[in-house]
Amino acid sequence: MWVQMLFQILWWSPENQTSPFWLNHPLSSSCLFYPQKKTFPNKRGPPSLQKDGNISDTVGGEKQEQDVVQDGEGEEEDKEKKIVSWRGAMIEADQATEPPPSADEKEAAVPRVPANPANTVPLEVSTGTTVDRLEAVRDAFRHAWKGYKDYAWGHDELKPISKSFGEWFGLGLTLIDSLDTMWIMGLKEEFAEAKNWVEKELSFNKNVDVNLFETTIRVLGGLLSTFHLTGDQLFLDKAKDLGSKLMPAFKTPSKIPFSDVNIGKGTAHPPRWTSDSTLAEVTSIQLEFRELSRLTQDPQYQEVANEVMRLVHKLPGKHDGLVPMFINTNSGQFTHKGVFTLGARADSYYEYLLKQWIQGGKAEDDLLEDYLQAVEGVKKHLVRQTGASRLTFVGELSHNRFNPKMDHLVCFLPGTLALGAHNGLPGDHMDLAVELTETCHQMYKQMETGLSPEIVHFSLQASDGRDVVVKPADRHNLLRPETVESLFYMYRFTKETKYRDWGWDILQSFNNYTKVSDGGYTSINNVRDPVNPGPRDKMESFFLGETLKYMYLLFSDDMELLSLDKYIFNTEAHPLPIWPSPPK
Ligand code: DMJ
């Protein structure tokens, strides 16, 4: 059993892109198109090769003898780091295989300001007006799209350094994730080309295992939102087709869905090493399935999705509203109890409690009750302040021990709390949102590249003189959206310009350290090293689907553009309409 647990914990983490699908995935391409020259472990791989920084910190492995774990040490252990070519403000794709420079790896040697050697492409200059900023986001999108179009058209993800592509499910993930973003940004030509691909090429009749959660939030969510924005029946027809092909996932003894579905064969199964599903995954498909039922007038989607929420609602094993990270598809019970996080594997459970309640016209009391209880649980067990600057953060609880570790993923929380407060929930939710947004901003600001690492550890000791410690294995940035997402919500609800300015700084940093010259943006290995950030050769679909969309909405003065009183964003930033309240 312990071996099985270790397997699961070390291996599978969709939030951290550690999917093991490539092992049995017919379209798998982790290494198909060019040799792996990346230096940090590719996080899609077997447990023997991978370390999932998110999970391994909290279970097994480390000796934790105190109630509060202060584990900021070991930063000099970054032995894996080899540096891929770096030429300053824009990454030169064709230089990606140069031998690594002999960089001094000690933290003290890391320059505090971005290096800008003579041969760099000039940094973007803008006066910072709303119009300039919106245009800068559009430019960033066009640049990302150019790379995708040139080297990865119709495939799941762009590999911008090798000018190639990666396949996960073979469903054109980036293209579909981008549809509504292009519509919102008014990129008509690009949208038309993408629509043509959906019409002519997108097929769900293929023998491929897909992850239920990822396919739902990215593909089903993207198709449904594009249908709403455009009114084009094509997207609803595709959504219906996909929805029906995902249904076998729910044929389990407990009605808790399996993680994986073969959409061609109509079969579903859990990961090979366990019969558990991840809690966030099974509870973050509801907005989309419920909307599909509403649009098609076919209740089957809503019924299976609501049943999961009913089961989880009455399940024992919660800790003041906080939920464990796994649930068994046979027994329907929580497993691996005792670890509570707002990060990977649990995050969007909390987000979807609130958002389903809003989507359904605030009529479903169980959802509200679970959400309110969870926020109280977060405040009681997980919220702390740093010793140095009194930054408020959300840590983790591991078998009653507090771990001051926070995933960047947790930065969705301020936006969600603010959305709740906007919808009449307690004012102290907004107070917490304000404090957490400041912390997420600091997670960018305090890094030498101005980009947040994937995970930070906060220091509770004032004597440390610093708030944030970043372990070597946690220094990567995957172009994630959560902080920009929260900045968008905070700006909409407060109109405080600082949130826009913080977003603008983040865009500059993406342009300075992740933009690839021939098109595309890349995730990077080390946010603490502006000279050698270490491009990872991957542009996640959520950079176009979420990060740039939220950035655009943050800078737009049009508060009616996807009004938060009319739309609810799914966890992949695809807007779905809030339903009218049922008659009393
Ligand atoms: C996205 O796929 C979704 O936002 C998900 O809920 C969390 N992880 C990524 C972005 O970081």
Side-chain angles (χ1 to χ4, degrees):
M1 178 192 169
W2 285 107
V3 172
Q4 185 201 25
M5 274 178 65
L6 200 60
F7 246 61
Q8 179 162 45
I9 288 162
L10 286 177
W11 193 346
W12 166 238
S13 174
E15 302 300 342
N16 287 315
Q17 310 302 308
T18 55
S19 165
F21 291 118
W22 63 272
L23 279 180
N24 53 6
H25 188 315
L27 293 172
S28 166
S29 64
S30 279
C31 302
L32 280 185
F33 302 102
Y34 58 94
Q36 289 282 346
K37 295 203 169 75
K38 281 177 289 186
T39 52
F40 278 56
N42 175 353
K43 297 192 100 186
R44 286 184 183 169
S48 58
L49 300 178
Q50 307 303 319
K51 178 182 184 296
D52 181 336
N54 252 3
I55 304 301
S56 57
D57 281 346
T58 54
V59 185
E62 288 186 26
K63 200 173 168 212
Q64 301 174 336
E65 291 182 346
Q66 295 165 350
D67 283 341
V68 173
V69 185
Q70 282 289 13
D71 50 0
E73 278 118 49
E75 287 167 86
E76 304 305 321
E77 295 161 11
D78 196 3
K79 299 285 191 269
E80 294 168 299
K81 183 162 59 176
K82 293 177 208 146
I83 291 153
V84 183
S85 169
W86 171 251
R87 288 193 170 188
M90 192 180 277
I91 294 166
E92 297 290 342
D94 56 356
Q95 297 297 318
T97 55
E98 273 181 4
S102 57
D104 184 345
E105 306 222 338
K106 287 192 171 39
E107 234 181 276
V110 174
R112 305 297 299 190
V113 287
N116 200 1
N119 62 346
T120 60
V121 176
L123 302 184
E124 196 141 20
V125 179
S126 166
T127 58
T129 66
T130 296
V131 174
D132 288 340
R133 288 180 175 190
L134 283 174
E135 201 44 45
V137 183
R138 252 193 231 109
D139 283 347
F141 185 94
R142 283 194 201 99
H143 187 82
W145 189 250
K146 179 188 181 315
Y148 178 73
K149 194 175 160 189
D150 288 352
Y151 307 117
W153 184 251
H155 297 284
D156 283 341
E157 290 153 342
L158 169 68
K159 295 185 167 188
I161 303 292
S162 56
K163 301 180 185 174
S164 179
F165 58 86
E167 214 71 286
W168 192 3
F169 310 137
L171 297 178
L173 285 185
T174 297
L175 189 147
I176 297 178
D177 240 356
S178 302
L179 286 167
D180 55 8
T181 307
M182 291 188 282
W183 186 263
I184 292 160
M185 290 183 180
L187 300 173
K188 291 182 183 159
E189 269 175 41
E190 292 85 346
F191 180 85
E193 279 176 314
K195 180 193 154 180
N196 191 46
W197 183 87
V198 172
E199 198 168 7
K200 307 266 169 44
E201 307 289 339
L202 179 60
S203 166
F204 302 119
N205 291 320
K206 44 170 59 172
N207 177 7
V208 58
D209 279 348
V210 304
N211 175 275
L212 171 69
F213 163 75
E214 298 289 357
T215 305
T216 299
I217 65 169
R218 299 185 199 216
V219 185
L220 186 57
L223 292 169
L224 289 173
S225 68
T226 307
F227 167 69
H228 277 295
L229 296 179
T230 63
D232 191 325
Q233 185 68 24
L234 165 71
F235 299 105
L236 181 56
D237 290 344
K238 290 287 180 187
K240 268 193 263 183
D241 186 22
L242 176 59
S244 66
K245 290 189 160 59
L246 294 175
M247 289 298 281
F250 297 88
K251 287 189 192 141
T252 67
S254 65
K255 301 190 178 161
I256 297 296
F258 288 130
S259 59
D260 299 357
V261 193
N262 187 303
I263 50 176
K265 289 186 187 162
T267 55
H269 58 88
R272 273 197 286 178
W273 59 94
T274 180
S275 53
D276 288 351
S277 286
T278 295
L279 196 86
E281 292 196 1
V282 301
T283 55
S284 310
I285 51 180
Q286 280 68 19
L287 292 176
E288 301 81 356
F289 273 68
R290 285 153 50 113
E291 180 61 7
L292 185 59
S293 272
R294 195 178 73 95
L295 290 172
T296 59
Q297 292 294 296
D298 179 348
Q300 61 168 325
Y301 309 109
Q302 173 149 349
E303 278 168 10
V304 291
N306 283 346
E307 179 64 10
V308 177
M309 297 312 296
R310 270 194 293 274
L311 291 169
V312 173
H313 172 69
K314 59 182 192 212
L315 207 55
K318 298 195 196 90
H319 188 47
D320 289 328
L322 304 177
V323 288
M325 297 187 291
F326 297 100
I327 187 163
N328 190 270
T329 52
N330 291 320
S331 68
Q333 300 296 310
F334 291 129
T335 64
H336 309 320
K337 297 177 197 166
V339 179
F340 299 100
T341 174
L342 266 279
R345 298 175 192 272
D347 48 2
S348 44
Y349 161 74
Y350 303 101
E351 178 187 353
Y352 268 38
L353 286 175
L354 177 73
K355 289 183 172 178
Q356 287 176 80
W357 178 68
I358 295 171
Q359 178 193 43
K362 304 183 189 175
E364 296 152 289
D365 295 340
D366 288 353
L367 294 167
L368 177 61
E369 186 189 311
D370 287 352
Y371 178 73
L372 289 173
Q373 210 188 351
V375 175
E376 290 311 303
V378 169
K379 288 195 288 188
K380 183 170 167 190
H381 299 291
L382 304 182
V383 171
R384 296 279 191 286
Q385 289 193 323
T386 60
S389 310
R390 316 301 300 166
L391 286 180
T392 302
F393 67 94
V394 179
E396 297 185 349
L397 205 58
S398 179
H399 304 288
N400 292 321
R401 283 190 290 239
F402 181 74
N403 185 356
K405 158 183 177 280
M406 182 166 145
D407 297 350
H408 181 273
L409 289 166
V410 181
C411 288
F412 83 93
L413 185 60
T416 297
L417 289 168
L419 180 65
H422 177 73
N423 280 278
L425 303 190
D428 67 343
H429 289 202
M430 189 62 180
D431 299 339
L432 183 55
V434 169
E435 290 175 22
L436 291 174
T437 308
E438 169 71 38
T439 302
C440 291
H441 162 60
Q442 290 297 332
M443 285 164 62
Y444 284 72
K445 195 171 173 221
Q446 295 192 16
M447 298 301 116
E448 288 77 357
T449 57
L451 292 172
S452 171
E454 177 74 358
I455 299 169
V456 300
H457 287 75
F458 289 100
S459 174
L460 297 165
Q461 316 294 339
S463 56
D464 269 11
R466 59 180 176 172
D467 297 302
V468 179
V469 173
V470 187
K471 292 182 172 188
D474 301 337
R475 291 177 176 180
H476 48 292
N477 179 294
L478 305 183
L479 313 170
R480 284 197 192 275
E482 289 76 17
T483 295
V484 182
E485 170 184 353
S486 284
L487 293 174
F488 157 65
Y489 283 101
M490 295 304 286
Y491 180 75
R492 280 271 171 117
F493 296 139
T494 68
K495 303 290 183 304
E496 283 193 43
T497 53
K498 71 178 180 188
Y499 296 122
R500 283 181 157 181
D501 294 339
W502 294 351
W504 181 242
D505 290 344
I506 293 172
L507 181 62
Q508 304 311 301
S509 294
F510 279 134
N511 279 333
N512 290 345
Y513 297 106
T514 72
K515 191 172 182 179
V516 179
S517 58
D518 285 322
Y521 288 74
T522 180
S523 46
I524 56 172
N525 280 327
N526 191 352
V527 298
R528 308 225 66 166
D529 191 342
V531 179
N532 296 292
R536 282 187 155 197
D537 196 16
K538 181 163 172 179
M539 184 173 76
E540 301 280 352
S541 76
F542 51 68
F543 183 62
L544 293 85
E546 295 194 71
T547 311
L548 293 178
K549 181 189 290 145
Y550 282 129
M551 195 79 80
Y552 188 81
L553 293 172
L554 169 66
F555 297 140
S556 171
D557 285 333
D558 182 0
M559 298 297 132
E560 284 306 304
L561 179 60
L562 301 177
S563 158
L564 289 170
D565 294 317
K566 294 182 184 144
Y567 287 92
I568 197 84
F569 286 83
N570 87 341
T571 194
E572 190 76 5
H574 297 304
L576 301 172
I578 295 172
W579 305 342
S581 297
K584 301 264 178 211

